[in-house]
Amino acid sequence: MDYQLFEIWTAMPTLWPAVYGLLLLLFVPALREDRQWLWGFAVAGMVLTIVVPSYMLYHIGSYGDYRETAGMLGMEMVRADRLSLSLDILFGVAGLLALLLMPVYLDRARAYRPEVYPLTFLSVAGMTIMVGTDNLMMIFLGLEVLSISLYVMCGIARETPTGIEAALKYFLLGAFSTGFLVYGVALLYGATGSLDLEGIASAVALGAPGLAPYGDGMLLAGMALVIVAFAFKIGAVPFHFWTPDVYQGAPTPVTAFMAAGTKAAAFGVLLRLLHTGLSSSIDVSSRWILALSVLAAATMIIGNVMALVQDRVKRLLAFSSVAHAGYLLLGLLAPLDVGVANVVFYLTVYTFMTIGAFAVVSVFQDAGHDADHISHFSGLWSRHPVLAVTMAVFLLSLTGIPPMGGFTCKYVIFLSALRAGHPLLALIMGIAAVIGAYYYLRVLVAMFFKPPEQELSAEIVVPSPTRVVLAVSVVATVLLGILPSYVLEPLSRISASLAMLP
Amino acid sequence: MSEATTFCLIVSAVLFGIGTLGVLPRRSAITILMSIEIMLNAGNLALIAVSRVLPGQGGLGLVDGHVFVLFVLAIAAAEAAVGLAIVLALYRLKRSTDIEVLRLLRW
């Protein structure tokens, strides 16, 4: 049926947030005083950012996979398939939850700047570009649109020393990893003669790399550099050292958005890059499987061990996010048909539980500063029981205690690692999760069994948008744990959209 | 593959090495930024060199790489703008662009 509608729809998950974000930026000067209106427009736009890919995903069966041809170069650069649309929904959810947290937090931190709303839209647009393509150039563009917006969002509290320190660290490390990405892509391009993942796959399968005498070396070096660049972005050990500083220094709603959104986008790209682009030859795929195994093991162990000694909850959650990146890397190692659904399911659960936990942390502010020391949390049960129980749900889920979502997603990754023939890594995952239980439970014990130590100067007040975020996250975390099949079953069809060339 | 291409690739690898080594031990945020620009330009040089010799249409080689370079240049400019703005904000606060002043966030 109507062919043209279908073409423009392909790019809609990206076009919508990009255009809406730019329009919002135009309205910022006019609505500088009318904060509520600007915020309302932002939230409404972000709701539609979720609705557009959901609608497309719902109807995808009737159209097949959408594809759009970028006319000028005669290449297919934008695509909308089950993987990209599922992740697009997730980015919208992360953006929406972060937008709900932002105004009150930034106001209390005296760092309210309305530009943060358009920047959120632009970084969501960057994420949708990244996952909605098979082309390395588009992946690079999307990653940069996402990152550059996030650098600014981190530094939005530019009068606070910690805020600007986080922004500068994130920027320097992010730009450094961009250098690796560009050089790695250049080498991959030289070795295979294509920027398109399917072109790369067929060149790799033929074993006839583009530039004859150095082809193999270039291919491996390029692959290594690209993996390093993405390891920086997801915070895998040994490229994780920016994570705790940036997570702690950035405004908490931005941290929540960054933790959930960036991770989902980077893993979406890794799924495509590794499974579509670099899996057509056993010789090549065995090497990235080895590299990722080492990264995954180091990330799981060091992330969890470093979290043990943290006294600030934001830093603790940062190391926990490093550890979760390790579990997700393990999910990448599984073969396509089981691995993809598990990774996307894990990202879904992770989005809700981590944003929920950061939402609780965002409530703890004292005179404009983060009051996220563990001692601020002790005795929370007697001061604000509902908040304590809410935080307990997220912490138990991050630990991986049934019946929370965090258990189910760890369990499916564990099983797929066993089935993929990585029993040692599965064992490391089990041990790492047990170590992890200690520091999550430490916060729990402080909240429920210790008397209040360090009183905040003001009463704990949970603003109503934050209540919405907490309610949504709790319900989603629990439901995904009890009824995972309602999400896992549709996700299991994703792998078809990544299926290899014949 | 021609000698010129090999030479360009070697130069790009050397540039990439200089950029990487320039980032690691530096203390000035501006010098780090400059080293990162060198890394990006190493990537650009490699892309152009490779793109010229890959089989394409009309004797031009494959144009994908050339187009990519234009995008990288634009992105690098945007990145430098944001980076310098952040460095400026740091300077306003600390009167220094030395990354040694960044030590609030430590465990």
Side-chain angles (χ1 to χ4, degrees):
Chain A
M1 52 174 276
D2 38 3
Y3 182 69
Q4 276 160 354
L5 184 74
F6 180 98
E7 292 277 284
I8 190 79
W9 268 106
T10 311
M12 214 47 176
T14 302
L15 280 180
W16 173 258
V19 172
Y20 198 91
L22 292 174
L23 283 178
L24 209 57
L25 194 60
L26 284 180
F27 281 105
V28 162
L31 292 175
R32 198 167 279 276
E33 301 308 318
D34 301 317
R35 293 184 178 192
Q36 292 297 328
W37 275 103
L38 191 65
W39 182 64
F41 282 133
V43 169
M46 201 53 97
V47 169
L48 280 168
T49 309
I50 304 173
V51 169
V52 168
S54 313
Y55 174 80
M56 290 171 67
L57 192 59
Y58 184 72
H59 286 286
I60 200 167
S62 46
Y63 296 135
D65 285 2
Y66 304 104
R67 274 201 159 230
E68 193 193 51
T69 308
M72 207 172 67
L73 292 171
M75 289 184 296
E76 295 161 318
M77 291 223 197
V78 181
R79 65 181 297 169
D81 52 23
R82 283 180 199 278
L83 177 66
S84 75
L85 293 174
S86 314
L87 288 171
D88 289 345
I89 297 171
L90 214 52
F91 304 148
V93 169
L96 181 63
L97 297 180
L99 275 183
L100 289 173
L101 296 176
M102 269 171 200
V104 179
Y105 179 91
L106 291 176
D107 207 26
R108 286 183 184 170
R110 291 181 211 95
Y112 173 78
R113 289 204 173 76
E115 288 82 5
V116 74
Y117 303 140
L119 284 169
T120 313
F121 278 90
L122 291 181
S123 52
V124 168
M127 294 173 191
T128 57
I129 298 173
M130 261 171 97
V131 299
T133 183
D134 262 349
N135 193 286
L136 287 172
M137 185 157 78
M138 293 292 280
I139 290 175
F140 168 75
L141 281 178
L143 183 65
E144 287 309 299
V145 171
L146 154 69
S147 302
I148 294 178
S149 315
L150 266 178
Y151 303 147
V152 183
M153 286 166 76
C154 275
I156 203 84
R158 63 169 187 234
E159 291 87 5
T160 56
T162 48
I164 208 70
E165 178 171 342
L168 189 60
K169 279 185 178 166
Y170 191 37
F171 168 74
L172 290 178
L173 268 301
F176 189 48
S177 76
T178 301
F180 280 90
L181 181 67
V182 171
Y183 203 70
V185 168
L187 291 181
L188 277 183
Y189 175 60
T192 59
S194 175
L195 285 170
D196 193 68
L197 291 181
E198 289 181 6
I200 290 176
S202 43
V204 170
L206 289 173
L211 296 178
Y214 315 111
D216 275 332
M218 276 171 85
L219 178 67
L220 292 179
M223 189 169 82
L225 287 173
V226 171
I227 289 178
V228 167
F230 279 101
F232 265 113
K233 290 290 167 197
I234 59 175
V237 174
F239 311 103
H240 69 291
F241 35 83
W242 60 273
T243 321
D245 294 0
V246 173
Y247 278 32
Q248 190 193 336
T252 311
V254 176
T255 311
F257 177 61
M258 190 161 59
T262 317
K263 196 160 275 161
F267 272 101
V269 171
L270 279 175
L271 278 174
R272 272 198 207 282
L273 179 72
L274 299 175
H275 287 294
T276 307
L278 298 167
S279 287
S280 50
S281 142
I282 297 284
D283 188 38
V284 174
S285 65
S286 65
R287 293 191 201 227
W288 67 252
I289 286 179
L290 180 66
L292 253 57
S293 310
V294 175
L295 276 181
T299 308
M300 287 188 284
I301 294 171
I302 296 190
N304 278 308
V305 169
M306 291 294 287
L308 290 177
V309 294
Q310 304 303 326
D311 286 328
R312 289 193 159 264
V313 177
K314 255 171 122 176
R315 272 186 102 74
L316 191 149
L317 288 174
F319 277 109
S320 133
S321 115
V322 172
H324 282 275
Y327 307 142
L328 279 159
L329 281 173
L330 195 50
L332 285 183
L333 298 176
L336 196 61
D337 49 341
V338 285
V340 181
N342 292 346
V343 169
V344 178
F345 179 66
Y346 200 116
L347 289 167
T348 312
V349 178
Y350 182 74
T351 299
F352 286 109
M353 63 190 180
T354 200
I355 292 188
F358 278 116
V360 175
V361 176
S362 80
V363 175
F364 287 79
Q365 272 177 314
D366 201 2
H369 296 287
D370 286 334
D372 60 333
H373 200 272
I374 282 193
S375 58
H376 288 115
F377 281 75
S378 58
L380 187 62
W381 170 243
S382 58
R383 285 188 292 160
H384 201 308
V386 179
L387 198 57
V389 171
T390 314
M391 186 64 170
V393 169
F394 300 132
L395 289 173
L396 289 175
S397 180
L398 286 164
T399 319
I401 307 274
M404 307 300 172
F407 166 74
T408 321
C409 62
K410 274 206 187 74
Y411 182 69
V412 292
I413 293 265
F414 183 81
L415 278 191
S416 75
L418 277 184
R419 251 186 252 150
H422 302 285
L424 186 63
L425 284 172
L427 181 70
I428 294 177
M429 180 180 177
I431 296 170
V434 172
I435 301 173
Y438 175 77
Y439 58 86
Y440 295 123
L441 294 181
R442 205 172 133 220
V443 183
L444 267 186
V445 168
M447 285 196 306
F448 284 92
F449 302 112
K450 284 198 181 148
E453 277 176 46
Q454 218 172 324
E455 279 294 346
L456 300 170
S457 55
E459 196 66 20
I460 295 175
V461 183
V462 186
S464 40
T466 309
R467 286 180 199 203
V468 175
V469 173
L470 292 175
V472 169
S473 307
V474 165
V475 170
T477 307
V478 174
L479 278 186
L480 285 169
I482 301 173
L483 306 163
S485 55
Y486 285 91
V487 178
L488 262 174
E489 201 275 322
L491 288 181
S492 65
R493 277 181 272 163
I494 285 182
S495 56
S497 65
L498 283 178
M500 284 292 309
L501 298 171
Chain B
M1 172 145 93
S2 69
E3 264 177 41
T5 314
T6 317
F7 183 68
C8 282
L9 282 176
I10 291 171
V11 172
S12 83
V14 171
L15 276 179
F16 186 74
I18 292 175
T20 315
L21 292 179
V23 168
L24 296 176
R26 291 295 154 183
R27 292 175 53 193
S28 158
I30 307 276
T31 322
I32 296 180
L33 198 55
M34 285 158 63
S35 305
I36 290 169
E37 295 293 321
I38 294 179
M39 288 171 74
L40 289 177
N41 282 323
N44 282 344
L45 185 58
L47 277 169
I48 293 183
V50 155
S51 208
R52 253 191 97 253
V53 288
L54 284 173
Q57 294 143 359
L60 276 172
L62 208 56
V63 288
D64 305 24
H66 302 306
V67 177
F68 197 161
V69 169
L70 295 177
F71 279 110
V72 174
L73 287 176
I75 291 284
E79 210 166 49
V82 167
L84 287 175
I86 295 173
V87 173
L88 197 65
L90 177 77
Y91 183 76
R92 282 210 186 117
L93 218 56
K94 302 269 187 184
R95 296 283 143 198
S96 163
T97 58
D98 198 323
I99 56 167
E100 290 290 303
V101 301
L102 304 179
R103 46 169 180 240
L104 286 166
L105 303 171
R106 289 273 164 88
W107 58 292

